[in-house]
């Protein structure tokens, strides 16, 4: 018997009938393919600008990396996805495209440090794609829908494209393009000072993906786009409709849903000119087609004589005049259409009136069935929805101070059940975990409250279920009053007043008060220091009157870039009324992650610690700072008999009325009458 390793045994001579026995040989195991998840610290990156490990794992899993071929990583940043893809599939050619030179340098360094092979191209997509080989896989981490569509056009048949988004409206558009979408939400454990554990939520990330069918050619249809689906509607009911040219028409007495004709016109358009272009838009239909149920246009043309003349058309589904639905140009501008116009955008603030208005008026899920028809002074388009004209409903939703745990169940239900969600951009982002791709998302900028309310009211009037979101409580310096005022003059498609609900929320004042103790335990007042809607003279009078009455104060909007000195001015006013030792707390991001608390007195308050995300809480003569630093306003006061009570700090009053009397300071001037609004809604 010969014993040895394989090399020595193989070099020797053995009998013809020898048996080779191999024992205790360590198995050779192929390295497992990584699915990502290297910690953030493994990569050099700009602060916060990196795909988190958990999202990276999902992305790489969805990419389903082949052993060979080409992968594009577009908007690669520091290259974390490209690097891990190379490590997972060493035979794959990985090309990372990044326009920022410093980030591209980091991607090169990260690949070298981790042993990955990545080609880094410093360029801007989609311009840079022309010089790259056709990919089998594409990851889009930045660049928007234009990059998405350009990458899809170059993707090889059978290939897959994966993209990530932080904004739900862009994710919804990608879902329509690619067909699949998931939301990735991660909660991270954090240790509390007492040794306990809490979980803090990362911002959710949306991952969309789609496969390019085999056999696609340059002429074949890529991912469905608004333009490519705008001129045809598929009827989900068998044999219930026919398509004639670019129009869908019902073969029964009822349409599949609301038929809306959208109309745009110049200020000098005549009734005959508008009627002619509308007739052209409807002219492709057989004689037995259903007439429209609503006319839609931009709000500035709501009362145009030529538009009003269209109400004499026969109305589908019910008698009476045809209603006119009008939408703000800012809302129409957010609707993707088949034939946008830069000329129209310059003139009225939206690239489409006729097509966009028709789509909104026809309701959720509507599609254009007749694209824009042009006349001398007017345009018209026709859209059909997938349900009949219904009664819309508008819900004003208070989201609370910020963190998801402070939302009420009613607020969550209102957002989830809405067909359209309207709000200031950051507030819409705050409910990204509640919305879904089927909803229409309408974002607006700061300072456009009236326009935002008009958009929500117009959608509800057209039959949509709308949620307009507001931080804190919508009735406290929020959107509730503005929406209710806008809804007063509006009726729905049924001719009845709009249904408007208000869902309450936790206010910033109460969240801030809870964070610092109980400074608002007694009577208190909330005052905004923003003079955008209220003149400063009125704010000054409110401060003097409230403080002079012994009320604790919650000051909203204390300081901003445009109003850097308002909190300082307010402090000077309060100093005329209150003791310099009055406790004050500035709570920033109250009730949210990153909450910050600054406790001071009226004399030592530093106004620069406050921002638009802060609420300033000002105590009273009954407010003390306890040994743990909490502000507590006592609810106990000396009785008329002079009986003493124990204060928060443990001292006792001597029972003298003067000891607990509130110094009203200088008498507060009467509140001036609000200035005339000249027709503008606050």
């Amino acid at each position: 018997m010969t014993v040895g390793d394989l090399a020595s045994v193989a070099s020797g001579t053995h009998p013809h009938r020898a048996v080779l026995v191999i024992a205790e040989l360590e198995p050779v195991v192929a390295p497992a393919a990584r699915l990502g998840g290297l910690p953030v610290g493994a990569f050099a990156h700009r602060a916060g600008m990196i795909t988190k490990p958990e999202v990276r794992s999902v992305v790489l899993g969805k990419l389903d990396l082949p052993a060979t071929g080409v992968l594009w990583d577009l908007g690669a940043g520091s290259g974390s996805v490209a690097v891990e893809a190379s490590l997972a599939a060493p035979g794959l050619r990985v090309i990372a495209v990044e326009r920022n030179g410093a980030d591209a340098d980091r991607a090169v360094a990260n690949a070298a440090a981790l042993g990955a092979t990545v080609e880094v191209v410093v360029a801007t997509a989609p311009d840079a794609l022309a010089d790259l080989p056709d990919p089998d896989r594409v990851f889009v981490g930045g660049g928007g829908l234009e990059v998405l569509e350009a990458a899809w056009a170059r993707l090889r048949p059978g290939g897959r494209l994966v993209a990530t988004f932080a904004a739900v409206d862009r994710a919804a558009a990608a879902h329509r393009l690619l067909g699949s979408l998931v939301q990735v939400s991660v909660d991270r454990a954090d240790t509390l000072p007492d040794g306990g554990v809490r979980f803090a939520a990362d911002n959710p990330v949306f991952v969309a993906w789609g496969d390019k069918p085999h056999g696609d050619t340059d002429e074949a249809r890529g991912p469905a786009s608004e333009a490519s689906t705008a001129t045809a509607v598929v009827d989900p009911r068998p044999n219930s409709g026919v398509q004639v040219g670019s129009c869908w028409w019902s073969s029964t007495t009822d349409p599949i849903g609301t038929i809306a004709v959208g109309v745009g016109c110049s200020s000098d358009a005549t009734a005959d000119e508008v009627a002619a272009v509308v007739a052209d838009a409807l002219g492709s239909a057989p004689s037995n087609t259903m007439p429209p149920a609503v006319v839609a246009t931009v709000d500035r043309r709501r009362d145009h004589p030529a538009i009003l003349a269209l109400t004499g058309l026969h109305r589908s589904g019910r008698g009476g005049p045809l209603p006119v639905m009008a939408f703000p140009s800012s809302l129409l501008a957010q609707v993707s259409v088949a034939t946008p116009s830069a000329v129209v955008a310059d003139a009225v603030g939206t690239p489409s009136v006729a097509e966009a208005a028709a789509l909104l008026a026809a309701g959720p899920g509507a599609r254009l069935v007749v694209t824009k028809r042009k006349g001398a002074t007017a345009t018209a388009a026709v859209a059909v929805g997938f349900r009949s004209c219904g009664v819309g409903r508008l819900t004003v939703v208070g989201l609370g101070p910020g963190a998801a745990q402070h939302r009420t169940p009613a607020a969550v239900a209102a957002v989830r059940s809405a067909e359209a969600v309207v709000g200031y951009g950051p507030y819409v982002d705050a409910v990204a975990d509640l919305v879904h791709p089927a909803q229409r998302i309408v974002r607006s900028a700061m300072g456009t409250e009236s326009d935002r309310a008009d958009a929500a009211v117009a959608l509800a009037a057209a039959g949509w279920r709308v949620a307009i979101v507001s931080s804190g409580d919508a009735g406290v310096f929020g959107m509730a009053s503005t929406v209710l005022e806008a809804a007063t003059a509006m009726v729905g498609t049924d001719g009845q007043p709009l249904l408007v609900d208000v869902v309450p929320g936790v206010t910033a004042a109460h969240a801030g008060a809870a964070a610092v103790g109980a400074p608002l335990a007694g009577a208190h007042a909330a005052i905004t220091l923003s003079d955008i809607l209220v003149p400063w003279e009125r704010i000054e009078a409110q401060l003097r009157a409230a403080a002079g009455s012994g009320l604790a104060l919650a000051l909203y909007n204390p300081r901003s870039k445009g109003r850097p000195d308002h909190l300082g001015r307010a402090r000077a006013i309060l100093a005329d009324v209150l003791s310099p030792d009055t406790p004050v707390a500035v709570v920033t991001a109250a009730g949210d992650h990153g909450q910050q608390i600054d406790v001071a007195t009226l004399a030592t308050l530093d106004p620069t610690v406050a921002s638009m995300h802060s609420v300033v809480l000002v105590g009273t003569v009954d407010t003390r700072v306890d040994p743990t630093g909490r502000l507590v306003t006592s609810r106990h006061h000396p009785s008329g008999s002079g009986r003493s009570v124990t204060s928060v700090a443990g001292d006792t009053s001597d029972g003298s009325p003067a000891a607990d009397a509130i110094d009203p300071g200088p008498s507060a001037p009467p509140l001036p009458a609000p200035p005339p609004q000249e027709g503008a809604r606050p």
Side-chain angles (χ1 to χ4, degrees):
M1 181 175 67
T2 302
V3 178
D5 58 25
L6 284 176
S8 62
V9 171
S11 63
T13 57
H14 309 284
H16 178 66
R17 295 183 178 180
V19 176
L20 178 64
V21 178
I22 301 176
E24 296 183 353
L25 182 66
E26 292 185 3
V28 177
V29 180
R34 294 186 57 87
L35 285 181
L38 285 175
V40 168
F43 299 92
H45 63 280
R46 277 190 290 162
M49 301 298 291
I50 187 172
T51 304
K52 299 298 190 296
E54 297 80 7
V55 176
R56 209 181 310 135
S57 294
V58 173
V59 166
L60 291 169
K62 295 301 182 185
L63 280 170
D64 190 20
L65 298 172
T68 60
V70 175
L71 165 69
W72 289 354
D73 180 355
L74 306 181
S78 57
S80 62
V81 171
V83 167
E84 293 224 52
S86 175
L87 295 176
L92 191 64
R93 182 181 178 185
V94 179
I95 303 174
V97 178
E98 172 54 48
R99 66 181 180 180
N100 183 288
D103 283 340
D105 289 342
R106 293 185 184 97
V108 171
N110 287 330
L114 294 169
T117 303
V118 177
E119 302 172 38
V120 179
V121 178
V122 184
T124 300
D127 298 339
L129 306 185
D131 298 327
L132 302 182
D134 289 343
D136 301 277
R137 296 291 187 273
V138 177
F139 170 59
V140 180
L145 297 178
E146 180 186 12
V147 174
L148 210 66
E149 292 175 347
W152 180 273
R154 292 287 306 281
L155 185 65
R156 289 174 177 165
R160 174 172 287 192
L161 189 152
V162 178
T164 56
F165 300 90
V168 68
D169 50 344
R170 294 183 179 180
H175 178 251
R176 290 191 290 269
L177 291 171
L178 300 175
S180 298
L181 179 70
V182 296
Q183 175 183 295
V184 180
S185 299
V186 177
D187 292 347
R188 300 187 187 280
D190 189 17
T191 303
L192 297 172
D194 63 359
V197 175
R198 71 172 181 181
F199 283 88
D202 287 352
N203 289 329
V205 175
F206 301 93
V207 181
W209 72 95
D211 295 327
K212 192 167 187 177
H214 286 280
D216 270 12
T217 64
D218 291 340
E219 291 76 26
R221 182 177 63 85
S225 66
E226 293 286 348
S228 64
T229 61
T231 57
V233 171
V234 178
D235 181 3
R237 301 177 303 178
N239 303 319
S240 64
V242 295
Q243 183 172 324
V244 180
S246 61
C247 302
W248 180 93
W249 302 100
S250 173
S251 60
T252 65
T253 57
D254 292 319
I256 189 172
T258 300
I259 293 179
V261 56
V263 182
C265 68
S266 62
S267 58
D268 59 350
T270 67
D272 289 342
E273 290 169 337
V274 172
V277 76
V278 170
D280 179 36
L282 297 174
S284 301
S287 59
N288 64 341
T289 57
M290 293 299 295
V294 63
V295 172
T297 188
V298 66
D299 54 5
R300 67 176 65 188
R301 296 287 184 258
R302 183 200 312 266
D303 298 320
H304 193 289
I307 299 293
L308 295 178
L310 295 174
T311 62
L313 294 173
H314 176 66
R315 186 181 184 187
S316 173
R318 56 172 71 92
L322 200 65
V324 175
M325 294 286 107
F327 301 97
S329 58
S330 60
L331 175 59
L332 296 175
Q334 298 189 45
V335 180
S336 297
V337 297
T339 58
S341 168
V343 174
V344 175
D346 290 339
V348 296
T350 172
S352 170
V353 172
E355 292 178 339
L359 285 167
L360 292 180
R367 291 289 183 268
L368 284 174
V369 293
V370 180
T371 54
K372 181 171 62 180
R373 298 294 192 265
K374 296 181 181 179
T377 58
T379 59
V382 180
V384 62
F386 286 100
R387 71 177 190 201
S388 298
C389 280
V391 177
R393 194 177 195 100
L394 178 54
T395 304
V396 190
V397 183
L399 297 177
Q405 65 262 30
H406 295 308
R407 300 177 192 147
T408 66
V412 171
V415 174
R416 283 179 170 165
S417 63
E419 294 165 329
V421 178
V422 181
Y424 172 46
Y427 300 159
V428 173
D429 293 339
V431 294
D433 58 318
L434 302 180
V435 300
H436 52 81
Q439 292 172 314
R440 178 167 290 281
I441 307 300
V442 182
R443 305 165 66 91
S444 64
M446 180 176 289
T448 59
E449 288 82 0
S450 294
D451 195 59
R452 192 181 311 150
D454 289 341
V457 166
L459 285 171
W464 294 67
R465 294 193 306 274
V466 183
I468 181 167
V469 293
S470 185
S471 67
D473 183 281
V476 180
F477 306 124
M479 288 298 301
S481 62
T482 307
V483 169
L484 289 169
E485 289 171 349
T488 300
M490 184 69 73
V491 296
T493 54
D494 60 349
Q496 299 299 313
L498 288 183
L499 300 174
V500 181
D501 297 318
V502 180
V503 175
V506 177
T507 69
H510 294 146
V516 299
L520 305 181
H524 56 274
I527 299 174
T528 177
L529 299 187
S530 171
D531 58 356
I532 294 178
L533 302 177
V534 181
W536 179 256
E537 294 77 16
R538 187 173 179 84
I539 295 172
E540 180 175 344
Q542 291 170 344
L543 290 168
R544 291 188 182 278
S549 299
L551 299 177
L553 301 178
L555 305 182
Y556 281 70
N557 306 312
R559 189 170 178 271
S560 68
K561 291 181 179 179
R563 301 182 299 279
D565 61 339
H566 278 201
L567 181 55
R569 293 168 65 183
R571 182 185 64 173
I573 293 168
L574 295 176
D576 291 339
V577 182
L578 302 175
S579 165
D581 295 328
T582 302
V584 178
V586 179
V587 185
T588 303
D592 204 351
H593 308 302
Q595 174 179 278
Q596 178 179 331
I597 299 172
D598 294 277
V599 176
T601 65
L602 192 60
T604 62
L605 171 65
D606 178 7
T608 64
V609 303
S611 70
M612 281 296 291
H613 303 290
S614 304
V615 61
V616 179
L617 305 171
V618 182
T620 71
V621 70
D622 299 309
T623 305
R624 302 288 185 271
V625 180
D626 74 7
T628 65
R630 293 177 300 218
L631 272 65
V632 182
T633 298
S634 176
R635 296 180 59 205
H636 300 283
H637 303 277
S639 67
S641 63
R643 178 171 53 86
S644 63
V645 296
T646 302
S647 71
V648 172
D651 297 331
T652 57
S653 164
D654 63 3
S656 168
D660 290 277
I662 298 172
D663 177 11
S667 59
L671 298 181
Q677 296 298 312
E678 299 182 356
R681 189 169 61 251

